[in-house]
Amino acid sequence: MSKRAQDNDEDMREAKSAYNVGVRTTVEDEGMGEFEDPWEDEVESDQEVIIENDDDDEDMDMDQVNNEMDQDKDEEDADKDVRVYLPGQALEKDEVLEADQSAYEMLHSMNVKWPCLSFDILWDQLGDERCTFPATAYVVTGTQADLSQNNEVLVMKMSQLAKTKNDDGNQSDSDDDDDDVEEDPILEYKSMKHAGGVNRIRAMPQRDQQIAATWADTGKVHIWDLAPHVRALDQPGTQIPESAKKPLYTVESHGRVEGFAMDWSETVPGRLLTGDLNGKIYMTSLNCQTGTVTPDRIPFVGHQSSIEDLQWSPSEKGVFASCSADQTVRIWDIRSKKRAGLEVKVHNSDVNVISWNKKLPYMLASGSDEGVFSVWDLRQLSQSATNPTPIATFKWHQAPITSIEWHPTDESVLAVAGADDQITLWDFSVEHDAEEAMNGTNQKAIVNEAGVEVPPQLMFVHQGQQDVKELHWHRQIPGCVISTAGSGFNIFKTISI
């Protein structure tokens, strides 16, 4: 990777300190289909201050002046009570995290009726490299409802996602009309009944295919055609055929054994992998032209515990990676189902998630149950290695890693989510400036309250969600991240990435 010199600590503090500590406020659950309005109070307060002058009296009432001075003093005192928060600090009673709006280009949250453990971002026809606002995103997700029969697959369209207002009330330093939007965000969705809770959902990565697969807690894998639902969102009044509200096909290769691991191939359209709790991996092939589905009944075997995640190679058609609660990562050739080509113990606990770098296909990231995530150079791994050495490893998160994903276009940027309710963004091209170190001009390292030094590669920490489960980069909106948690969805874009 190319290397960039580390920014000065002051700039990094601003980027990393995305949250401040303030007084606790009550947030009501708005239910499915509504975005929270983080600026509602601000707008109301703007309207409350009305000053009228009498044409015959040019002197302002001194009482009014004194009241305004007292109000300004109260605001200054309140600002003193707000402090920058770093993970590891304990919150006192009646304290709550408040987002620093100046650290975001965009930040929106959405409550849902039922928790969604998994989701995926759909390709759209609005263009690539979109940097103007308001933004629009299409997402497919599945629920974990109270009763099996209440579960659904949801195809959602989030629009009018405006740029975040800063402390001065401005949305942007630019005068571009596209960024000057006062309308509230809009959420529209179409739903399909789903048998059982949705453990994981993945959409095909090809632009011209709007197909998704769901891993149900019943042990079944369902394949869905999302095209009619997306069309209905874009063209109001469009009727969705009853046939489109049912799965195209149900894969029953796993019997009644449920699972979580799932991935579609980017190099071979329609090729799907699914892994279950018994350590078995099955491949299913969908012919995108005819709609024919062919399940392979012979599994890939070798893992000694549950399959936690699967990733197809971004460059080799017949190669994929798997990770397991047996603490290993394995690289497979689809021509050999009884033995992986490479088996390496990469963590001292369950390996929960992996991500294959799409720009550097020899780079693989892994996240473990002990909160450690590592980056591996596959060229340096061998079958005989007993203690393999990662090219980078970090113990920043204080709970299991729940999601990990490389940036789709920047090979050095990685997003990580943990059960400690943190989403962290990392840039591995950043390193300490050697010349500054030799001259003794390095500024003091940033250390949190727990005594953990903030690594220079850590660009951003996003918080505010509870029980974070999964994140994804938006491939068509650079730097945009969407995440799901027990408390709902966040969609944000930071100033750091």
Side-chain angles (χ1 to χ4, degrees), residues 341-361:
L342 178 65
E343 174 189 343
V344 182
K345 179 183 177 181
V346 295
H347 290 287
N348 294 320
S349 62
D350 299 3
V351 187
N352 296 332
V353 287
I354 52 176
S355 180
W356 211 318
N357 195 309
K358 292 177 173 54
K359 293 297 180 180
L360 297 176

Side-chain angles (χ1 to χ4, degrees), residues 299-483:
F300 297 87
V301 293
H303 279 292
Q304 302 304 306
S305 189
S306 62
I307 309 298
E308 298 297 316
D309 204 2
L310 292 162
Q311 285 271 285
W312 282 102
S313 166
S315 59
E316 299 182 69
K317 294 183 178 180
V319 176
F320 69 90
S322 62
C323 69
S324 168
D326 64 9
Q327 306 178 2
T328 69
V329 165
R330 306 189 187 208
I331 308 298
W332 303 78
D333 185 317
I334 62 172
R335 294 170 295 184
S336 177
K337 295 184 176 181
K338 295 183 178 180
R339 182 179 176 85
L342 178 65
E343 174 189 343
V344 182
K345 179 183 177 181
V346 295
H347 290 287
N348 294 320
S349 62
D350 299 3
V351 187
N352 296 332
V353 287
I354 52 176
S355 180
W356 211 318
N357 195 309
K358 292 177 173 54
K359 293 297 180 180
L360 297 176
Y362 54 84
M363 302 284 283
L364 187 78
S366 62
S368 74
D369 219 39
E370 59 188 352
V372 174
F373 73 91
S374 303
V375 178
W376 307 90
D377 186 336
L378 297 178
R379 300 170 302 180
Q380 299 177 4
L381 299 180
S382 65
Q383 196 77 264
S384 59
T386 55
N387 294 302
T389 302
I391 60 175
T393 187
F394 293 93
K395 178 65 173 74
W396 173 263
H397 288 268
Q398 303 303 309
I401 304 299
T402 58
S403 187
I404 193 167
E405 187 169 288
W406 289 103
H407 191 286
T409 58
D410 191 333
E411 69 276 6
S412 65
V413 175
L414 181 71
V416 183
D420 56 357
D421 300 334
Q422 291 188 62
I423 293 176
T424 53
L425 305 184
W426 303 76
D427 188 345
F428 295 109
S429 67
V430 175
E431 63 180 8
H432 288 287
D433 192 299
E435 184 176 346
E436 285 187 1
M438 291 179 61
N439 297 334
T441 58
N442 273 339
Q443 298 188 28
K444 187 178 180 181
I446 308 171
V447 179
N448 68 9
E449 200 170 82
V452 179
E453 180 178 340
V454 179
Q457 295 84 2
L458 178 55
M459 293 289 101
F460 201 87
V461 178
H462 172 78
Q463 293 184 279
Q465 292 177 282
Q466 289 77 49
D467 197 19
V468 181
K469 292 299 184 183
E470 198 169 275
L471 62 79
H472 294 294
W473 295 95
H474 198 298
R475 291 164 290 194
Q476 295 174 274
I477 306 178
C480 177
V481 177
I482 304 179
S483 57

Side-chain angles (χ1 to χ4, degrees), residues 24-212:
R24 182 178 302 277
T25 58
T26 301
V27 179
E28 296 182 357
D29 185 356
E30 298 181 357
M32 177 63 191
E34 295 184 6
F35 282 93
E36 296 176 3
D37 185 356
W39 308 298
E40 183 178 357
D41 292 339
E42 177 183 337
V43 174
E44 291 176 355
S45 63
D46 289 344
Q47 294 174 345
E48 290 171 0
V49 181
I50 303 175
I51 300 176
E52 297 181 357
N53 291 328
D54 191 331
D55 293 339
D56 298 330
D57 187 2
E58 296 181 358
D59 295 328
M60 182 176 289
D61 190 340
M62 291 304 297
D63 289 339
Q64 182 176 349
V65 173
N66 291 333
N67 289 337
E68 290 180 354
M69 292 178 64
D70 291 340
Q71 182 178 355
D72 291 341
K73 185 177 184 303
D74 291 341
E75 291 177 356
E76 290 178 2
D77 292 340
D79 290 340
K80 292 178 182 178
D81 292 336
V82 176
R83 68 180 189 274
V84 174
Y85 175 84
L86 284 176
Q89 296 175 345
L91 293 179
E92 297 179 3
K93 185 179 179 181
D94 295 330
E95 284 188 332
V96 67
L97 294 180
E98 296 178 350
D100 179 358
Q101 301 294 335
S102 65
Y104 294 90
E105 287 193 25
M106 177 179 68
L107 173 60
H108 296 280
S109 60
M110 181 187 70
N111 296 321
V112 290
K113 183 177 181 180
W114 304 114
C116 299
L117 299 183
S118 180
F119 75 101
D120 210 351
I121 301 174
L122 303 177
W123 285 100
D124 57 51
Q125 306 300 318
L126 303 179
D128 295 344
E129 302 293 323
R130 305 200 299 267
C131 297
T132 58
F133 293 90
T136 299
Y138 294 79
V139 168
V140 61
T141 188
T143 65
Q144 286 278 334
D146 57 344
L147 300 176
S148 179
Q149 61 267 28
N150 291 337
N151 284 292
E152 296 177 312
V153 172
L154 304 171
V155 181
M156 303 189 295
K157 178 183 180 181
M158 295 177 275
S159 58
Q160 293 294 348
L161 301 172
K163 200 163 189 175
T164 297
K165 291 183 180 180
N166 294 328
D167 293 337
D168 58 3
N170 294 327
Q171 285 178 297
S172 170
D173 295 333
S174 171
D175 293 331
D176 192 342
D177 291 339
D178 290 338
D179 293 342
D180 188 16
V181 176
E182 297 293 341
E183 298 181 20
D184 290 333
I186 298 173
L187 173 69
E188 304 165 271
Y189 69 99
K190 301 297 179 182
S191 63
M192 298 162 276
K193 288 293 184 182
H194 187 273
V198 178
N199 290 347
R200 189 156 295 176
I201 186 167
R202 289 291 180 266
M204 285 182 60
Q206 285 73 27
R207 285 176 176 263
D208 60 343
Q209 299 293 330
Q210 292 178 322
I211 303 292

